[in-house]
């Protein structure tokens, strides 16, 4: 163990400073503070472009004072000092030489109440570093009562020649309103002088550091906090970024190794089983991808170590058949399979369609015992009537049910299986590592696991978020799949199109087809349907937009459509998550049977729902949905060889940032391109949310989308290290770092205790 890094801060920087750091940053150890890295660096001799400063967050910037004036306040006692600061950009642009003031680009008004020090120190021409929140009043930017520090006669700056000084980077730390970046910097400089960094244990193996020519840990800590030239912090940051990637990937490699070392029951294919019978009755031939993935799964299920596999494939690529074939192999071998869906509607749909697909090969509970020629398929959801639910649980526990389909209710403590051999998780983005583990715990021996996702995941995200799984991809759609045309319908510029949407719906219905209408809300005053753990940020999250607009709701739209002349006589029905489950199933059944022609719903139909006759998808207030949600939604149409159309309806003006998302969705049906686009809009924390990453600490220097090469290389190193030294006994510093990554709270507790 690296004792120095775990030492209490007060031992190195004194009680008072340590108390301040703990209060404002929550950091208590030497290692904690050394790892509090600057967010970025300013250059001492360069002014910060004011136009690039973000509004309403704690920022630090360097600027030159233009004017300073002080006056008495009118309404209360005291003075107001106004300082106009500039980034000098106005001169460069050759703008007319008028006195810069508030509202002129490249300038900022800084106001101080009773700012005696400001009045004395912020004299015209001086350069200073300011720290505070920039806000906007009309066109003018302003900064009120910031902390500041003069740069020209900074007594703490070591005497160096002026040229070198001008190029010196100034670290900017994530600051708080009470603790400025430079206070943090001072404390860390003190710490670097007092801490004993000579014998730091390095989580990076020596051969990796040698190969990559990384700085030693102690020097890297010094240079990331007190760089003399930009290359200093760049080299230090490269090292720590790699370290972060290696720690993360080693944690995942260790988890993969642990999972692989577990003993599972091999479920080998049998010659004359259900799977063979099923393949003979399939009305189509499998695509090349389905066959290849099927072969991989068949082989892995035949091993006595558990399969842990992620299957990615576009909406409609035919993942369900692949999963069903794997389930049948397991049933043939005497085991049970569970299929876990994110919503009740989807679970019910899977239940119906799997029984339909199996045809005579499936039985339900009423038809008696399990024969060798058929499998009992059982639905088990939280909202089933008590008696049916009890029967389903009994069938799962007794082994009568060969395939059990359900929602996360399957995770409940009361549900048990006779011999669970395979778990299939559909639409992974709703399930995290903990839930995967809860399911694995359902079997006496670890079951095989197949996770399916329709949201294509960029390679590095897969490596990080789903790093404990091996990956397969279905990259072609079954033949005969019709294209989907997507159009953005902007009601702001074309109010007349509102009526056109419904006459267009009527045309589809008259041609014998069906229509989905999706709304962001259920009723007038609610937030729509959100499943637990939903990862998708709303437009409001992304843009901080207020709830000013009246959004389309299922209730209001149904009311409106009942009086819509174009739809006179059309059977339509509402569907949303707050309805009684019996009503929900009845509505879905009626839509599936082509009795209901138009379904007005929330995103409950987002995933998996499979009605081939539906050809038109109308998404109202489409700007309220995320990119991958829209892509999933439109995948509901164009499934039965009939061309599909998706209308993304919005009341936002052209050029509104949220409309770019709609344009992106309309521009391509390539889910991979869209998911890249989508991830760019998300915060890193959403990608690596607690439940997804398997660890709780946020990444500091690593950006999953940006640092693909780093992550890939670290993954290789991690794989090699863990394979050679599974217990990490010869890599104790790495083992400690992994522990800290996985259990930061526990670590903090140990430090205090
Ligand atoms: P996913 O779950 O990947 O979105 P599904 O498994 O629901 O896709 O398949 C979509 C539709 O395509 C289903 O109706 C299914 O029966 C059909 N399908 C699957 N595989 C093929 C194939 N090889 N050829 C033709 N149709 C297929
Ligand atoms: Mg599916």
């Amino acid at each position: 163990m690296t004792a120095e890094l775990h030492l209490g801060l007060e031992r190195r920087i004194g009680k008072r400073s340590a108390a301040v750091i703990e209060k404002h940053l929550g950091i208590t150890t030497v290692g904690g503070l050394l790892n509090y890295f600057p967010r970025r660096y300013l250059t001492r001799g360069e002014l910060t472009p004011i136009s690039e400063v973000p509004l309403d967050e704690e920022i630090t910037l360097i600027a030159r004072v233009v004017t300073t004036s002080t006056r008495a306040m009118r309404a209360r006692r005291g003075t107001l000092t106004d300082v106009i600061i500039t980034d000098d950009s106005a001169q460069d642009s050759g703008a007319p030489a008028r006195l810069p003031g508030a509202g002129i680009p490249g300038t900022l008004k800084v106001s101080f109440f009773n700012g005696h020090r400001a009045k004395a120190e912020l004299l015209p021409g001086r350069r200073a570093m300011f720290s505070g929140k920039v806000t906007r009043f009309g066109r003018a930017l302003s900064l009120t009562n910031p902390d500041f520090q003069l740069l020209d006669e900074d007594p703490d700056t070591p005497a160096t020649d002026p040229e070198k000084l001008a190029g010196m980077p100034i670290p900017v730390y994530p600051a708080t309103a009470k603790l400025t970046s430079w206070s943090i910097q001072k404390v860390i400089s003190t710490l670097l002088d007092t801490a004993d960094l000579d014998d730091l244990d390095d989580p990076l193996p020596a051969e990796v550091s040698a190969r990559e020519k990384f700085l030693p840990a102690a020097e890297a800590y010094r240079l990331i906090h007190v760089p003399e030239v930009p290359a200093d912090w760049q080299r230090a940051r490269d090292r720590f970024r790699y370290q972060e990637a290696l720690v993360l990937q080693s944690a995942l490699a260790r988890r993969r190794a642990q999972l692989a070392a577990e003993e599972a029951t091999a479920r080998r294919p049998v010659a004359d089983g259900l799977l063979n019978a099923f393949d003979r009755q399939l009305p189509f031939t499998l695509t090349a991808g389905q066959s290849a993935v099927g072969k991989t799964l068949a082989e892995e299920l035949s091993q006595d170590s558990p399969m842990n596999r992620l299957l990615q494939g576009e909406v409609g690529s035919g993942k369900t058949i692949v999963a069903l074939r794997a389930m049948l192999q397991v049933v043939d071998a005497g085991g049970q399979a569970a299929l876990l869906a994110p919503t009740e509607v989807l679970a019910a749909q899977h239940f119906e369609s799997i029984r339909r697909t199996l045809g005579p090969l499936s039985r339900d509970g009423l038809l008696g015992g399990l024969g060798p020629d058929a499998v009992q398929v059982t639905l088990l959801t939280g909202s089933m009537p008590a008696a049916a639910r009890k029967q389903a649980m009994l069938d799962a526990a007794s082994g009568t049910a060969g395939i059990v389909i359900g929602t996360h209710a399957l995770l409940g403590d009361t549900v048990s299986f006779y011999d669970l051999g395979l778990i299939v998780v559909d639409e992974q983005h709703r399930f995290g590592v903990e839930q995967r583990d809860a399911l694995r715990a359902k079997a006496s021996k670890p079951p095989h696991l197949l996770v399916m996702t329709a949201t294509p995941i960029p390679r590095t995200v897969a490596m990080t978020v789903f790093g404990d799984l091996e990956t397969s991809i279905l990259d072609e759609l079954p033949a005969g799949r019709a294209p989907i045309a997507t159009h953005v319908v902007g009601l702001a510029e074309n109010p007349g199109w509102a009526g056109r949407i419904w006459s267009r719906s009527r045309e589809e219905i008259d041609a014998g087809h069906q229509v989905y209408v999706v709304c962001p809300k259920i009723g007038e005053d609610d937030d729509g349907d959100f499943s637990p753990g939903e990862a998708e940020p709303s437009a409001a999250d992304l843009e901080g937009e207020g709830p000013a607009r009246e959004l389309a709701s299922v209730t209001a739209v149904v009311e409106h459509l009942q009086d819509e002349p174009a739809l006179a006589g059309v059977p339509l029905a509402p569907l949303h998550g707050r309805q009684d489950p019996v009503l929900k199933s009845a509505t879905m059944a009626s839509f599936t049977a082509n009795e209901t022609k138009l379904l007005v719903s929330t995103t409950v139909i987002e995933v998996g729902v499979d009605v081939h006759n539906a050809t038109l998808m109308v998404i109202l207030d489409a700007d309220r949905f995320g990119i991958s949600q829209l892509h999933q939604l439109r995948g509901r149409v164009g499934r039965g060889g009939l061309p599909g159309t998706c209308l993304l309806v919005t009341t936002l003006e052209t050029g509104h940032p949220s409309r770019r998302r709609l344009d992106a969705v309309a521009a391509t049906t390539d889910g991979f391109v869209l998911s890249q686009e989508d991830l760019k809009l998300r915060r890193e924390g959403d990608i690596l949310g607690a439940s997804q990453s398997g660890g709780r600490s946020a990444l500091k220097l690593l950006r999953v989308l940006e640092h693909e090469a780093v992550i890939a290389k670290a993954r290789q190193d991690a794989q090699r290290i863990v394979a050679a030294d599974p217990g990490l006994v010869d890599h104790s510093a790495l083992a400690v770092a992994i522990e800290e990554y996985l259990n930061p709270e526990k670590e903090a507790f140990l430090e205090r205790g």
Side-chain angles (χ1 to χ4, degrees):
M1 259 232 192
T2 304
E4 183 70 20
L5 294 183
H6 293 86
L7 208 60
L9 261 182
E10 68 287 350
R11 301 273 299 276
R12 292 294 179 243
I13 59 173
K15 267 208 166 70
R16 265 192 57 210
S17 296
V20 171
I21 294 294
E22 175 167 12
K23 179 160 176 242
H24 294 291
L25 305 181
I27 293 172
T28 55
T29 60
V30 169
L33 191 54
L34 287 177
N35 283 301
Y36 195 76
F37 295 147
R39 178 185 289 161
R40 61 202 172 89
Y41 298 83
L42 300 175
T43 308
R44 191 166 280 271
E46 282 170 16
L47 306 183
T48 313
I50 287 175
S51 62
E52 289 166 23
V53 170
L55 297 181
D56 301 317
E57 43 184 276
E58 292 296 332
I59 52 96
T60 301
L61 64 93
I62 297 177
R64 195 170 55 77
V65 175
V66 185
T67 60
T68 301
S69 60
T70 299
R71 59 196 153 86
M73 279 189 281
R74 253 173 262 147
R76 16 177 200 146
R77 284 155 54 107
T79 60
L80 191 67
T81 300
D82 280 340
V83 180
I84 305 291
I85 58 174
T86 176
D87 61 13
D88 284 351
S89 59
Q91 274 104 317
D92 302 341
S93 68
R98 61 183 166 135
L99 189 65
I104 308 249
T107 68
L108 184 62
K109 185 168 92 171
V110 189
S111 305
F112 297 88
F113 299 115
N114 296 326
H116 304 297
R117 187 169 76 92
K119 186 179 164 196
E121 294 185 3
L122 293 176
L123 305 176
R126 285 201 168 160
R127 287 176 328 113
M129 190 155 52
F130 298 85
S131 184
K133 267 187 204 173
V134 175
T135 50
R136 179 194 292 280
F137 290 109
R139 279 187 54 234
L141 297 176
S142 84
L143 183 59
T144 304
N145 282 337
D147 245 297
F148 67 92
Q149 175 152 8
L150 289 180
L151 283 180
D152 307 273
E153 39 209 84
D154 179 352
D156 293 328
T157 311
T160 343
D161 69 280
E163 207 169 306
K164 191 170 169 199
L165 189 63
M168 236 166 97
I170 303 177
V172 178
Y173 291 91
T176 69
K178 290 280 162 54
L179 194 62
T180 59
S181 174
W182 52 86
S183 320
I184 297 171
Q185 187 198 354
K186 262 182 206 156
V187 176
I188 293 183
S189 309
T190 308
L191 178 64
L192 284 167
D193 290 340
T194 56
D196 175 12
L197 302 179
D198 289 341
D199 301 307
L200 283 189
D201 283 338
D202 195 338
L204 288 184
E207 80 273 9
V208 170
S209 286
R211 183 193 70 206
E212 301 291 327
K213 302 193 174 57
F214 283 140
L215 294 169
E219 197 183 348
Y221 278 123
R222 259 179 217 112
L223 295 187
I224 205 162
H225 292 294
V226 192
E228 288 191 4
V229 290
D232 287 347
W233 63 257
Q234 285 157 2
R235 288 186 65 198
R237 203 180 51 183
D238 286 348
R239 183 215 132 89
F240 287 120
R241 175 175 295 146
Y242 195 83
Q243 179 173 326
E244 198 171 305
L246 186 73
V247 168
L248 178 63
Q249 291 301 331
S250 300
L252 292 165
R254 211 177 49 172
R255 189 177 154 87
R256 279 197 305 274
Q258 280 160 358
L259 292 174
E262 287 180 333
E263 202 183 310
T265 308
R267 315 282 179 173
R268 295 190 185 86
V270 301
D272 280 309
L274 291 165
L275 178 55
N276 284 352
F278 177 74
D279 283 345
R280 278 196 301 274
Q281 75 171 41
L282 257 189
F284 44 72
T285 32
L286 297 177
T287 64
Q290 284 172 319
S291 300
V293 175
K295 198 160 162 258
T296 307
L297 299 187
E299 278 162 15
E300 290 186 353
L301 292 172
S302 305
Q303 307 295 317
D304 52 14
S305 66
M307 171 175 90
N308 284 290
R309 189 161 283 278
L310 173 72
L311 174 57
Q312 293 186 48
E314 273 285 356
V315 169
S317 59
K319 297 183 291 296
T320 313
I321 298 292
V322 171
L324 183 55
R325 292 185 68 255
M327 292 194 264
L328 291 175
Q329 176 174 333
V330 169
V331 171
D332 277 339
Q336 293 170 288
L339 171 59
L340 198 59
T343 65
E344 301 223 336
V345 169
L346 186 57
Q349 282 271 317
H350 268 313
F351 177 64
E352 294 302 335
S353 80
I354 282 179
R355 282 204 315 175
R356 211 170 39 234
T357 313
L358 284 172
L361 299 177
S362 81
R363 294 184 173 196
D364 59 30
L366 302 173
L367 291 177
L370 185 71
D373 52 343
V375 54
Q376 180 178 316
V377 183
T378 296
L379 179 67
L380 175 50
T381 64
S383 65
M384 274 162 62
R389 189 173 139 78
K390 209 170 152 209
Q391 184 60 50
M393 284 168 64
L394 219 59
D395 288 351
S398 67
T400 311
I403 295 177
V404 182
I405 299 171
T407 56
H408 54 278
L410 286 186
L411 298 172
D413 289 337
T414 48
V415 180
S416 63
F417 291 85
Y418 179 71
D419 180 14
L420 182 56
L422 169 65
I423 296 169
V424 179
V425 181
D426 196 14
E427 311 300 351
Q428 165 63 24
H429 57 292
R430 308 281 174 88
F431 286 104
V433 168
E434 287 90 348
Q435 280 145 322
R436 296 208 280 274
D437 285 346
L439 266 175
R440 284 189 182 113
K442 288 272 157 206
S444 46
K445 275 187 182 180
H448 300 282
L449 176 68
L450 176 64
V451 167
M452 304 196 289
T453 171
T455 315
I457 300 162
R459 206 165 74 93
T460 49
V461 178
M463 275 181 204
T464 336
V465 182
F466 303 106
D468 58 338
L469 305 172
E470 309 290 333
T471 304
S472 296
I473 296 177
L474 283 182
D475 51 8
E476 63 187 316
L477 295 184
R481 193 55 53 88
I484 303 169
T486 306
H487 308 282
V488 179
V489 179
L491 296 182
E493 65 268 26
N494 292 301
W497 285 357
R500 180 76 191 108
I501 295 167
W502 308 124
S503 47
R504 180 79 181 69
S505 303
R506 183 59 188 242
E507 288 160 22
E508 274 323 304
I509 292 165
D510 284 345
H513 305 146
Q514 288 163 282
V515 178
Y516 291 106
V517 178
V518 176
C519 309
K521 297 203 310 176
I522 297 174
E524 301 287 290
D525 41 33
D526 72 19
D527 302 321
D529 278 351
F530 293 103
S531 350
E534 188 154 356
E536 189 109 15
S538 73
D541 290 341
L542 292 169
E543 275 130 35
E545 174 198 317
R549 281 184 298 151
E550 188 55 52
L551 297 172
S553 72
V554 173
T555 336
V557 168
V558 164
E559 249 170 58
H560 171 75
L561 293 187
Q562 271 155 352
D563 299 333
E564 166 63 45
L567 293 174
V570 168
L572 54 90
L575 179 74
H576 57 75
R578 244 183 256 158
Q579 284 168 326
D580 184 278
V582 178
L583 176 61
K584 265 192 290 187
S585 327
T587 304
M588 262 333 285
S590 157
F591 191 68
T592 310
N594 195 7
E595 287 154 16
T596 297
K597 300 289 179 184
L598 186 149
L599 193 66
V600 183
S601 82
T602 55
T603 53
V604 290
I605 58 147
E606 178 185 339
V607 278
V609 170
D610 194 17
V611 175
H612 287 193
N613 193 45
T615 49
L616 177 63
M617 165 73 58
V618 178
I619 306 177
L620 300 175
D621 290 316
D623 49 271
R624 301 302 291 183
F625 300 102
I627 284 180
S628 66
Q629 229 175 350
L630 293 171
H631 183 58
Q632 291 268 323
L633 281 169
R634 85 175 145 184
R636 301 303 108 215
V637 295
R639 304 201 115 202
L642 302 163
T645 304
C646 175
L647 302 181
L648 304 173
V649 184
T650 178
T651 56
L652 295 181
E653 314 275 335
T654 15
H656 189 288
S658 286
R659 274 192 65 161
R660 262 180 252 141
R661 262 202 317 276
L662 304 188
D663 294 336
V665 174
T668 178
T669 48
D670 185 332
F672 195 85
V673 171
L674 287 174
S675 88
Q676 287 273 15
E677 202 65 34
D678 189 26
L679 287 164
K680 273 189 229 150
L681 290 171
R682 294 188 190 208
R683 283 163 302 225
E684 204 78 11
D686 294 326
I687 301 176
L688 293 173
S691 64
Q692 299 267 310
S693 62
R696 270 163 229 95
S697 56
L699 295 183
K700 286 182 178 178
L701 298 174
L702 203 57
R703 295 288 166 265
V704 181
L705 292 177
E706 260 168 67
H707 303 128
E708 174 162 350
V710 173
I711 293 172
K713 206 188 272 183
R715 183 176 163 100
Q716 272 182 10
D717 280 339
Q719 187 75 32
R720 187 171 41 75
I721 292 168
V722 171
D725 178 15
L728 294 180
V729 280
D730 296 330
H731 296 85
S732 55
L734 179 59
V736 171
I738 291 174
E739 247 16 87
E740 281 171 14
Y741 169 75
L742 293 176
N743 294 309
E745 291 94 353
K746 187 170 134 217
E747 185 61 23
F749 175 75
L750 284 179
E751 284 155 8
R752 256 166 267 225

